[in-house]
Amino acid sequence: MKKFAKILGLSALTIGVLTACGESEVKEVDGGAKEETKKEEAPKKESYKVGDTVSVDGMEVTIKSAKFVNPAEYSPSEKGKIIQIEVTAKNNSSANGFIDNTEFTISDKEGNMLEEYYGFDTSFSGEVKKGKQLTGKIAFDVSESESYEIFYEPSFTLKENAEIKFDLPKSELE
């Protein structure tokens, strides 16, 4: 009987874990009035732009602004330029969420992944209670490029396809 109970328990656990590993729900948030949910889902956009709000499993992420800034006095840029983005994360899920600057990465037009810049005393990391929001700044040490791509991929999800991409042309930074 104990063997049967163990097998039943392991089966239930396996089914629960596999169910949680589905695809993440990624959608653009419309700033207007909410409409009834339609049965047909719009295709997922390939990329977004600064100012767009995108929801990943109930966490609405907005890159509010992006600009070139001067480096801190005692922390020079290794690549030549600093891009600073201002991000807002609003938690519309039914549970508390977490967001962190390490969930954001950047690449240049050639596909080179670039590093975060730690010369400023800013932080964008923390728990976001349900219904609340967190705003902060993240800086990247970048080389000269015609455009950049900023990626956001939540750390605390077992779901696939949770990465979103924001296109950032150089013309929008100046």
Side-chain angles (χ1 to χ4, degrees):
M1 189 64 175
K2 285 186 177 183
K3 187 176 183 179
F4 177 73
K6 286 182 182 178
I7 291 172
L8 184 63
L10 283 174
S11 297
L13 180 63
T14 302
I15 290 171
V17 167
L18 290 176
T19 302
C21 291
E23 286 196 13
S24 233
E25 181 184 2
V26 177
K27 60 183 179 180
E28 186 170 7
V29 178
D30 183 15
K34 292 185 178 180
E35 297 179 12
E36 291 183 28
T37 304
K38 297 179 182 176
K39 289 184 181 180
E40 290 184 28
E41 208 172 293
K44 180 181 166 186
K45 284 177 78 171
E46 291 292 318
S47 63
Y48 301 90
K49 60 183 181 174
V50 173
D52 287 346
T53 299
V54 183
S55 178
V56 180
D57 291 338
M59 184 70 75
E60 291 183 2
V61 176
T62 307
I63 297 180
K64 294 174 66 174
S65 67
K67 60 185 175 181
F68 285 121
V69 296
N70 292 324
E73 184 176 0
Y74 298 109
S75 297
S77 167
E78 292 179 12
K79 301 281 186 187
K81 293 190 172 286
I82 306 294
I83 291 178
Q84 186 174 63
I85 61 173
E86 183 177 4
V87 181
T88 296
K90 184 175 181 183
N91 185 0
N92 285 328
S93 70
S94 59
N96 293 341
F98 183 82
I99 193 159
D100 188 71
N101 58 309
T102 60
E103 298 172 332
F104 291 83
T105 54
I106 192 169
S107 70
D108 62 17
K109 183 178 181 177
E110 291 76 33
N112 299 309
M113 297 304 295
L114 303 166
E115 299 291 322
E116 190 167 346
Y117 176 76
Y118 295 101
F120 300 130
D121 190 20
T122 59
S123 175
F124 183 69
S125 180
E127 181 179 34
V128 185
K129 302 284 187 188
K130 55 185 174 183
K132 305 298 181 194
Q133 69 181 24
L134 178 68
T135 300
K137 294 179 180 176
I138 305 169
F140 298 98
D141 191 353
V142 301
S143 53
E144 184 76 32
S145 182
E146 289 301 311
S147 64
Y148 302 91
E149 294 175 331
I150 298 172
F151 300 92
Y152 166 68
E153 185 172 16
S155 300
F156 295 106
T157 185
L158 296 174
K159 298 181 178 181
E160 297 175 15
N161 302 322
E163 181 179 83
I164 55 176
K165 178 176 77 170
F166 293 88
D167 287 327
L168 187 57
K170 180 181 176 185
S171 62
E172 291 183 14
L173 292 168
E174 299 179 83

